[in-house]
Amino acid sequence: TGTWPFRPDFEGAEHCISSNEAFYLKDAPKKPLIVGGGYIAVEFAGIFNGYKPEGGVVTLCYRGELFLRGFDHACREGLRDQMRGNGINLMFNENPKKVEKIAEGQYKVTFESGKVDEYDVIMVATGRKAKTEGLNLEKVGIHFKKNGGVEVDKGNKTNVDGVFALGDVTDRLQLTPMAIHEGACLAATLFNGENRYPDYENVATAVFSQPPIGTVGLIEESAVKQYPNIAVYESSFTPLMHKVSGAAHKKFLVRVITDQDQDNKVVGVHMLGADTPEIIQSVGIAVKMGAKIKDFYGTIGVHPTSAEELCSMRTPSYTYKNGSKVVASNL
């Protein structure tokens, strides 16, 4: 059953569309407002910005300090700067309070801050909820999480015998390949006599923003909590093609996080820039196999590519000793 877009409860919310309706717009909006800070919001900001008519401006507003919570912080900051460099208007700590329809295709938005502006399309991308309405799961006693997702054990079994659930409706890793993996594990267990359980560790994923983000493993904040002594390798540069094109704001960022107590085993890789979703898929295999940083710099890079930077990161930018950050000058 998957999930369905969640609509926030503010006055005039009925005038807004979700990502579902966005695909059926007859024309690209000239002045759209996107509300939200998740991957759907930033992806559609890039899509609308690429197709907007001449003179158009795309605006994204988010109620928090910075979008894409839970992703690598440096990648989030880098994406913010590049989206602004691409001409997208980003408004943080802003949230709609009221939407009024002025005319067909024209809406006035009053924000909680008191700011007022007009837009031709307002798209809310404020999350998705498990789509279980109408299934009468409550009648058979199925248990749900607080967020509405179906509660299951490690084998995707609900609390009711013979009833299983997998994919987005369980509100775990909401990724199509993860749902396929969960289905394969369940089929092998039920029909092939195996005891296979989904593995949620080191799952590579991407945000198809402009530019995109590729990520696998732990972000820095999570790694510090899990491992007392970590090293962070970081490199940011302007790719050759953008040096030639003159788009100097289009930086490429690579961050590798290692556990020093396991001979610098790589526990996280985070990248921002062109083709990072393609790159992170291969990197994810290496991380899944337990690669160490010496395996990265011991591999000959492909030149000239942005990905070759992974093969030249020998010295950490900074480390953490027993949870305390140590800057490079003190290493």
Side-chain angles (χ1 to χ4, degrees):
T1 63
T3 58
W4 199 254
F6 167 77
R7 289 184 179 272
D9 185 21
F10 55 75
E11 187 179 344
E14 68 273 11
H15 300 306
C16 304
I17 68 169
S18 71
S19 56
N20 287 2
E21 295 80 35
F23 289 104
Y24 297 94
L25 292 173
K26 292 182 179 180
D27 300 296
K30 185 173 183 178
K31 192 179 179 183
L33 170 67
I34 301 170
V35 182
Y39 67 94
I40 293 177
V42 298
E43 288 175 352
F44 267 96
I47 294 170
F48 285 158
N49 194 55
Y51 286 102
K52 70 180 186 293
E54 185 177 353
V57 176
V58 175
T59 298
L60 182 150
C61 77
Y62 176 52
R63 63 183 180 180
E65 295 283 343
L66 187 62
F67 48 37
L68 294 179
R69 182 167 53 91
F71 285 85
D72 178 81
H73 192 78
C75 287
R76 295 163 65 198
E77 292 181 326
L79 178 61
R80 173 200 61 198
D81 296 343
Q82 293 197 45
M83 286 177 70
R84 282 177 170 159
N86 291 338
I88 297 174
N89 177 34
L90 299 178
M91 302 185 346
F92 296 111
N93 298 307
E94 284 282 13
N95 204 39
K97 180 180 180 181
K98 181 170 65 173
V99 175
E100 300 171 83
K101 184 175 182 178
I102 302 173
E104 194 63 37
Q106 189 177 6
Y107 304 91
K108 183 172 77 172
V109 178
T110 302
F111 294 89
E112 292 177 353
S113 65
K115 177 183 174 66
V116 178
D117 209 338
E118 295 181 9
Y119 305 93
D120 56 359
V121 168
I122 304 163
M123 189 187 102
V124 290
T126 51
R128 300 176 68 88
K129 297 184 67 174
K131 192 174 184 295
T132 57
E133 294 84 358
L135 298 180
N136 294 320
L137 299 181
E138 299 84 355
K139 289 188 176 181
V140 293
I142 297 292
H143 289 173
F144 296 90
K145 302 177 182 177
K146 290 182 179 180
N147 57 14
V150 176
E151 195 173 276
V152 294
D153 62 15
K154 65 178 182 179
N156 291 296
K157 181 183 177 297
T158 68
N159 61 295
V160 177
D161 288 340
V163 181
F164 299 83
L166 51 85
D168 290 1
V169 76
T170 61
D171 194 41
R172 290 175 291 183
L173 278 180
Q174 295 188 11
L175 302 168
T176 299
M178 198 69 237
I180 295 172
H181 174 60
E182 290 170 351
C185 290
L186 181 59
T189 300
L190 293 179
F191 306 114
N192 205 34
E194 303 177 33
N195 287 317
R196 286 179 58 186
Y197 303 113
D199 184 0
Y200 299 95
E201 187 175 359
N202 292 327
V203 177
T205 188
V207 179
F208 291 93
S209 46
Q210 300 294 328
I213 291 174
T215 179
V216 63
L218 300 175
I219 60 173
E220 181 178 326
E221 295 85 350
S222 299
V224 172
K225 293 178 181 178
Q226 190 165 333
Y227 304 107
N229 303 307
I230 69 168
V232 179
Y233 301 75
E234 181 176 318
S235 178
S236 178
F237 56 93
T238 302
L240 180 61
M241 67 175 291
H242 293 311
K243 287 184 177 180
V244 174
S245 70
H249 72 281
K250 295 185 177 181
K251 303 289 186 182
F252 196 96
L253 173 66
V254 182
R255 284 167 52 82
V256 179
I257 302 167
T258 67
D259 176 19
Q260 293 183 302
D261 293 333
Q262 295 187 73
D263 194 19
N264 278 304
K265 177 183 176 182
V266 177
V267 297
V269 179
H270 313 282
M271 310 174 74
L272 170 72
D275 300 320
T276 51
E278 299 286 353
I279 299 168
I280 206 67
Q281 179 65 87
S282 298
V283 174
I285 297 173
V287 173
K288 195 75 174 176
M289 294 177 69
K292 300 174 181 178
I293 194 66
K294 63 184 178 183
D295 297 315
F296 277 39
Y297 66 68
T299 301
I300 304 301
V302 178
H303 183 75
T305 65
S306 297
E308 68 178 305
E309 196 71 13
L310 287 163
C311 305
S312 59
M313 306 180 85
R314 296 173 178 268
T315 304
S317 301
Y318 53 90
T319 65
Y320 285 83
K321 297 294 182 182
N322 295 318
S324 298
K325 188 174 182 178
V326 181
V327 296
S329 59
N330 298 326
L331 293 178

